[in-house]
Amino acid sequence: DQQVKQNSPSLSVQEGRISILNCDYTNSMFDYFLWYKKYPAEGPTFLISISSIKDKNEDGRFTVFLNKSAKHLSLHIVPSQPGDSAVYFCAASPLGGGSNYKLTFGKGTLLTVNP
Amino acid sequence: DAGVTQSPTHLIKTRGQQVTLRCSPKSGHDTVSWYQQALGQGPQFIFQYYEEEERQRGNFPDRFSGHQFPNYSSELNVNALLLGDSALYLCASTPRTSGVYTGELFFGEGSRLTVL
């Protein structure tokens, strides 16, 4: 049973345009939602996170939106740059109860930004 | 400042063998988690160690075991290897107490295990 789903295996956008990556989840116990970026032959690196009590978090070119009623979150990258080309993982975590940092990941979306 | 380091980077084993993977956490971190990433999948939580004890465990059989040493480094052991254990094994570290929780894990580059 996949609790975190990324239904788009890949996404291709032009440099300078917006990239929108989507993620759905099923577990109502998740309190934190995160996005990680992974380049080949490297470990995942943290990008941005959002608490379940918020609906938006912004960090430079990256914005994450959370719609709790729809159990949906999205990552917006504006403007997209060729260096953003990587696999993006959506992840979720309960908070407290000894479950901190126990992340559940989606399968990832390969973003390609074309010059 | 060294990040999370893992060894070996690649290894090949045959079915039934045992393997040990090693991880040194980022400086200042005392909590280590292990994840398995199979081909085409996202990382899957195996277990987490701090204060030299297993604190959380994912849905993995007892063939998967671990250890944390007093210097916070950690080992992942897998016994009786199966073909399905072929994957990238990722180690991640976090500080036990770090102010505002962000969920951020610091990952190493991983150990790629191939079971033949």
Side-chain angles (χ1 to χ4, degrees):
Chain A
D1 176 31
Q2 242 188 310
Q3 298 185 56
V4 176
K5 300 179 183 178
Q6 294 177 259
N7 293 319
S8 298
S10 63
L11 174 68
S12 182
V13 300
Q14 286 299 120
E15 181 179 6
R17 305 295 290 268
I18 184 171
S19 295
I20 300 177
L21 295 96
N22 293 303
C23 178
D24 297 296
Y25 64 95
T26 58
N27 190 339
S28 299
M29 301 302 291
F30 289 142
D31 295 303
Y32 251 84
F33 303 90
L34 308 94
W35 287 93
Y36 280 79
K37 179 170 69 174
K38 188 179 185 302
Y39 294 117
E42 294 185 11
T45 55
F46 173 78
L47 202 54
I48 192 170
S49 66
I50 187 168
S51 162
S52 60
I53 63 173
K54 296 186 176 182
D55 54 19
K56 177 182 175 181
N57 189 26
E58 199 170 349
D59 184 1
R61 296 185 298 112
F62 303 91
T63 303
V64 56
F65 295 92
L66 175 63
N67 182 334
K68 280 192 67 177
S69 61
K71 293 191 173 64
H72 177 84
L73 64 154
S74 60
L75 174 68
H76 293 210
I77 306 174
V78 184
S80 301
Q81 299 173 354
D84 295 330
S85 298
V87 176
Y88 288 78
F89 290 101
C90 173
S93 166
L95 181 62
S99 293
N100 290 4
Y101 300 109
K102 181 181 178 182
L103 302 187
T104 300
F105 284 84
K107 291 186 176 183
T109 296
L110 173 62
L111 174 65
T112 303
V113 181
N114 302 301
Chain B
D1 177 26
V4 178
T5 58
Q6 294 186 241
S7 64
T9 54
H10 295 83
L11 69 166
I12 300 173
K13 294 284 188 178
T14 57
R15 282 178 298 175
Q17 285 189 312
Q18 178 264 344
V19 68
T20 297
L21 307 177
R22 296 176 177 81
C23 172
S24 292
K26 181 177 169 64
S27 178
H29 288 185
D30 59 1
T31 300
V32 173
S33 301
W34 287 92
Y35 285 79
Q36 179 197 65
Q37 186 181 9
L39 196 62
Q41 304 293 316
Q44 189 173 357
F45 178 78
I46 303 175
F47 42 52
Q48 182 187 85
Y49 278 83
Y50 68 88
E51 295 181 350
E52 302 178 46
E53 290 191 19
E54 183 183 296
R55 300 293 180 171
Q56 300 187 72
R57 189 178 183 91
N59 189 25
F60 279 81
D62 292 345
R63 297 187 299 109
F64 290 77
S65 63
H67 190 77
Q68 186 178 35
F69 299 93
N71 67 352
Y72 309 125
S73 67
S74 177
E75 288 182 349
L76 164 65
N77 301 292
V78 187
N79 294 322
L81 284 168
L82 304 173
L83 296 180
D85 295 331
S86 295
L88 179 68
Y89 288 86
L90 294 161
C91 172
S93 72
T94 50
R96 184 74 188 101
T97 56
S98 60
V100 176
Y101 179 84
T102 63
E104 180 177 3
L105 290 170
F106 293 79
F107 283 92
E109 295 183 354
S111 294
R112 183 161 299 280
L113 170 66
T114 301
V115 182
L116 301 177

